Amino acid sequence: MKSLLRFARTTEMTLLVIGVVFFVFLVIASQGDLLEANSLRVLLQFLAVPVLIGLAQMVVLAVGQLNLAVGAVGGFAACAMGVLMADHGVPVPLALLIGFLLAALAGLANGLLVVLTRINGFIVTLATMTVLLGVQYRLVGTRTVDAYPQGLKSFGSYAVFGVLPLIFLVALVVAGLLALMLRRTVPGRQLLASGGNPIAARLSGISNDRSVIIAHTLSGAILGVAAILTIASSPGVNKSIGGDWLLPSFAAPIIGGALLTGGSAVVLGTVLAAFIVRFVDTARAEFSLEPSWVNFVVGTVVLGSVVLGQVRTRRQERRTVVKAPDAAVAGGVS
């Protein structure tokens, strides 16, 4: 009972209520068409990649870093897979494995560069984003690569019972494994400790550098899965793949409750926020609004979430000082 009451006060519960109300509104606005099997399948199919890119950003935010190369890593990996299969005849499983490993290596390179150069992750990932966009263009040029086996496209469009897309279930499995890793394993807890209080973590014997490298590598690996789902569910890949991933990658975890200062793991919140962003896009289509309205609404909500998070953090800090004034004074002197 206590755990239920505790959950009722969380950001996840708020997002769940907003999501349910939004969905009911959309069902009414569409006169029930949204409840049809095909409509639900399309809704969930286009949720798989946003969920994954949100998680890829969230795991980097957990150590107080940013990843601007989310779209570039995913787009580069997807195009590499497509070129391997279409131009070089590489078998599908091997091409997907190579693309996944390339994305994970790109994440590892980001982490190593941040640690070895001591340059802010914002700058490092901005640089790698530019490099990978150039490589992606070099791979596909201005063409669309679509001559890969039909079996992969069938995997991307398959839905269990005609409603639950397989790629959406894959995204949920990745979310579950990430939550398990962050909450139940030593590297996951060390990663959150490094993000929450790097000084305390270092004094406890935790390597903050290793946590940063693990976070960026995990982010790259998740983007590798997103690239696989993208190439499986798209008619082809080209230089525009990943170009519109950056805002959704920040929107899902920030709306979901992630702190920009690090130390928080909001896997469920990120998934629920991805649903809400998807509902905004569905509402745009339902009411025939311009696509720019989606970016306007999502950007405004993200900005509001950041401001609200800052206010909440400052209130919490003030309460801590009031409750333990002696400790606060001692900490300030030392």
Side-chain angles (χ1 to χ4, degrees), residues 290-304:
E290 292 183 7
S292 57
W293 276 103
V294 177
N295 287 341
F296 174 79
V297 172
V298 174
T300 303
V301 173
V302 169
L303 184 61

Side-chain angles (χ1 to χ4, degrees), residues 83-315:
V83 168
L84 285 171
M85 290 185 286
D87 295 355
H88 302 285
V90 176
V92 173
L94 182 58
L96 299 185
L97 177 62
I98 292 173
F100 171 80
L101 291 176
L102 285 174
L105 284 174
L108 174 63
N110 278 336
L112 288 174
L113 285 171
V114 170
V115 169
L116 294 177
T117 63
R118 299 298 173 190
I119 298 175
N120 190 288
F122 180 91
I123 303 298
V124 169
T125 55
L126 178 64
T128 54
M129 176 187 75
T130 307
V131 171
L132 290 174
L133 286 177
V135 176
Q136 183 179 353
Y137 183 79
R138 180 69 179 171
L139 282 172
V140 296
T142 56
R143 63 181 174 138
T144 295
V145 179
D146 57 1
Y148 44 86
Q150 184 61 37
L152 181 59
K153 296 179 182 179
S154 299
F155 163 76
S157 60
Y158 181 77
V160 180
F161 305 121
V163 177
L164 285 173
L166 204 52
I167 61 172
F168 177 69
L169 296 178
V170 171
L172 290 185
V173 169
V174 172
L177 291 175
L178 181 62
L180 192 66
M181 181 263 174
L182 290 174
R183 296 183 186 280
R184 302 293 181 187
T185 68
V186 173
R189 293 191 175 196
Q190 290 180 344
L191 189 150
L192 293 176
S194 294
N197 192 329
I199 297 175
R202 188 173 67 246
L203 293 175
S204 302
I206 297 172
S207 170
N208 292 325
D209 290 347
R210 185 172 56 197
S211 296
V212 169
I213 293 172
I214 289 175
H216 277 284
T217 307
L218 260 178
S219 178
I222 295 170
L223 290 171
V225 179
I228 293 173
L229 300 190
T230 297
I231 196 170
S233 59
S234 304
V237 292
N238 53 37
K239 64 183 178 63
S240 68
I241 294 292
D244 57 351
W245 288 10
L246 189 58
L247 179 59
S249 79
F250 279 107
I254 290 176
I255 296 173
L259 298 175
L260 292 177
T261 50
S264 60
V266 288
V267 174
L268 179 58
T270 299
V271 173
L272 291 173
F275 265 90
I276 293 175
V277 173
R278 176 73 182 124
F279 289 160
V280 172
D281 194 34
T282 304
R284 178 201 61 77
E286 183 64 33
F287 296 104
S288 302
L289 300 175
E290 292 183 7
S292 57
W293 276 103
V294 177
N295 287 341
F296 174 79
V297 172
V298 174
T300 303
V301 173
V302 169
L303 184 61
S305 301
V306 171
V307 172
L308 192 62
Q310 288 293 325
V311 171
R312 194 179 300 166
T313 302
R314 287 176 184 172
R315 282 184 180 175

Side-chain angles (χ1 to χ4, degrees), residues 22-23 26-27 30-40 43 279 282 286:
F22 209 160
F23 181 72
L26 288 174
V27 169
S30 66
Q31 299 181 336
D33 291 346
L34 194 59
L35 291 178
E36 293 179 2
N38 188 53
S39 299
L40 287 174
L43 177 76
F279 289 160
T282 304
E286 183 64 33

